[in-house]
Amino acid sequence: MSTNTYDAIVIGSGISGGWAAKELTKNGLKTIMLERGRDIVHVKDYVNANKAPWEFPHRGGRTVQMEKDYPVLKRDYPLNETNLDYWVNEKESPYVEIKRFDWFRGYHVGGRSLMWGRQSYRWHDVNFEENAKQGIGVDWPIRYKDLEPWYTYVEGFAGISGNRDHVEILPDGNFMPPMEMNCVEKDVAARMNAYYKDHDRHMIIGRTANITKPLPGRTNCQYRNKCWLGCPFGAYFSTQSSTLPAAVATGNLTVRPWSIVTKILYDKDTKKAKGVEVLDAQNNKTYEYYAKIIFLNASTLNSAWVLMNSATDIWPDGLGSSSGELGHNLMDHHLGVGAGGTVEGYEDKYYFGRRANGIYIPRYRNLHNEKRDYIRGFGYQGGAGREEWGRAIPEMAIGGAFKDALSEPGEWTMGIGGFGETLPYHENRCYLDKNVKDHWGLPVLAIDATCKDNELKMRIDMANDAKEMLENAGVKNVQTFNSEPVLGRGIHEMGTARMGRDPKTSVLNEWNQVWDAKNVFVTDGACMASAACQNPSLTYMALTARAANHAFEELKKGNV
Amino acid sequence: MNRREAIGRVALIMGGTLIGAEYLLSGCKPHTSANSVSELFDQDHEAFLNEVADTILPDTPSSPGAKAAGVGPFMAVMVRDCYETPDQDVFLKGIGKIDEAAQKKFSKGFMDLDATQKTALLTDLDKEAKEYAKTQKPKQPNHYFRMMKELTLLGYFTSEVGCTKALRYVPVPGRFDGCIPYKKGDKAWALS
């Protein structure tokens, strides 16, 4: 056996790659995990995690130079001084925007599992069935019952805190104790739930991948709200805190950073992939690795890139391109729309600790036979808190009384922002642009995707409903916001290699296997046939665990 | 900042007045060619800015003032690294304008004024800056005094002095309590 031969290869080390590695190694498969960027060692490499605000020269803000170096990242909140090293070097790794698409990437061990928002919600059968019922895209080849045991399994291992709210559209899970709402959230939720009790609208505490009880090797959340710097307590789920140590503990895992997978090597005789070609990002040399099973978890757009760049004379448009759907049906969640206002009568109340979680309002539109002028729906995230020192005090100018007033908390405010479902449009796509090369001379992706009529109509409800619900729950001075909808900004890219029931219209089968090469599994966001409106990572975890265990069973039977 | 906070802040910014939030969300909008603070500011400037800052946020029985928090040098770093050239110009000229205003009102340079005079002068400028903001066009730069005041607040309340003396700083809360009593005068929690 050559030193470059393994039982399984995992391409990518983010949320889904970490899960693939954990499940494959647990089953005894010798596995190599290939990561295109640098290593980040748990705790040791979280270099800013214990710094005080004043230890950052610009107090966490952004400089001219940062804005110059990160022309994409600067478009939204992620560009900041405190975790700049976790975001991709945009000069080395450009992409082409046919239309504006905000692509926020992390090229390192752990990928975006280090910086993710951690909100974790199950899907419901409604989400799996709507494509078929409405004739949109293709039917999901699975239903909730196929994923339910895997949701339970990954929730238990990853550690998801949440309340069992019995909201039908948002199935309860295998939760750790929930985080607490603050006094205003509790009362606003109670008033909202009462007002809308016949309309099935609910405000619940967010379900988040922050643990509220210890797990092996991990300490429960300390309420610092510095998650995206990397957590020295291992209190939120990341590859580093959770799946990677489990995979390493089996003795079956090899991690190779600086490994850009340039193509999957297809063997015409066996009609399977035999391995991958790797470009070492540091020495620019090419290596080959071989395995019986390949898990592609490079993130939605980069997994499509790997497949497209794996062209052969059989499939000049790439491995998995026979349906014509590879790279198409790119989705995200559209956001930046909602409302906020002030809450009176709680001046004698405050809170202790910085809860890295908020409230959630699950989807309620277009359910129970309701028909709006758009299809699908949206959920809201938000929260209440007291204003801080940055607030205006119109009646004060400068001086000691001004300083002392700002040293006290201000008014209570409450805001909610929508996360809307985006439909899978064939024409929303990415493709290889061979005229533009990255730092390593590889062709880059061109991205051509936009929100359409259905999303734009939905946003009107997202703004108006937010205002109406907050007002009906007693929030005052409510104002709406509705920013320009931009895809990518949700950082929930999905759909470029969708699952389906028919190889003519989909890239993957019901087990996430590439129809054209059954030992290649794609289990990141690329596999999604629709987007729903829930934050998607928990579903990627469940799909990955399910596919990895299926892969192992098939391998035992000699089927892959 | 996490996603929930970003959402909350967008909601709050609609009032258009949240200096800290505005800063955190959109950052300072910049272009500069200066490589060191000394190319833009000399030590006199920093001392001057310290005085301005300390007049905006002076010592009180409750907590030390902005000078003790080193806000003058902080402002210089921020203007160098985070301001566009036109904004740098406005800011630098603002230092001269404060002196001119002091001469006009008290026939003395700003640094030679007593505390009461400094407060009176900067109170006038704060009013002027607020009036200016009312008619400010989108592309027009901010008033220099608004810049100084924003940087003073940011510099002070994120400094060690500000976080630990003017606010309550708890690096590792260890728990979350969603509802505790608050009485007027209790200090706010410092940001993480």
Side-chain angles (χ1 to χ4, degrees), chain B residues 99-111:
Chain B
D99 248 343
E100 280 169 35
Q103 285 291 350
K104 200 168 153 194
K105 194 169 174 120
F106 299 110
S107 307
K108 275 193 229 168
F110 178 73
M111 296 297 274

Side-chain angles (χ1 to χ4, degrees), chain A residues 474-528:
Chain A
V475 179
K476 309 282 188 212
N477 307 310
V478 178
Q479 295 182 65
T480 58
F481 57 94
N482 188 351
S483 55
E484 185 199 350
V486 175
L487 289 181
R489 195 179 163 199
I491 327 184
H492 292 166
E493 313 93 70
M494 287 173 265
T496 53
R498 69 185 177 195
M499 294 167 77
R501 298 176 185 274
D502 182 348
K504 292 195 189 66
T505 56
S506 58
V507 180
L508 310 174
N509 71 8
E510 65 180 309
W511 296 103
N512 298 74
Q513 293 166 282
V514 176
W515 288 111
D516 300 337
K518 292 270 178 68
N519 65 334
V520 178
F521 296 76
V522 185
T523 67
D524 58 21
C527 76
M528 304 294 275

Side-chain angles (χ1 to χ4, degrees), chain A residues 313-384:
Chain A
D313 45 8
I314 313 173
W315 298 298
D317 293 327
L319 185 66
S321 66
S322 60
S323 64
E325 296 296 337
L326 178 62
H328 291 266
N329 312 298
L330 174 59
M331 299 171 285
D332 184 27
H333 290 136
H334 59 96
L335 39 70
V337 50
T342 59
V343 185
E344 292 160 9
Y346 297 84
E347 291 73 22
D348 61 346
K349 298 284 192 294
Y350 204 18
Y351 38 80
F352 176 83
R354 296 180 292 275
R355 185 195 60 193
N357 186 21
I359 60 89
Y360 189 69
I361 300 173
R363 174 178 161 186
Y364 51 85
R365 284 297 186 197
N366 290 321
L367 301 174
H368 313 303
N369 298 316
E370 183 190 46
K371 282 200 166 45
R372 308 295 294 173
D373 63 349
Y374 57 88
I375 58 171
R376 314 292 168 98
F378 51 87
Y380 292 102
Q381 292 178 33

Side-chain angles (χ1 to χ4, degrees), chain A residues 171-191:
Chain A
D172 290 336
N174 179 16
F175 296 143
M176 286 202 165
M179 290 184 174
E180 194 191 356
M181 289 189 187
N182 63 41
C183 356
V184 165
E185 291 163 348
K186 264 179 212 161
D187 286 3
V188 169
R191 290 195 287 263

Side-chain angles (χ1 to χ4, degrees), chain A residues 436-451:
Chain A
V436 181
K437 301 283 167 68
D438 70 8
H439 175 74
W440 296 271
L442 298 165
V444 307
L445 277 181
I447 305 175
D448 183 2
T450 184
C451 280

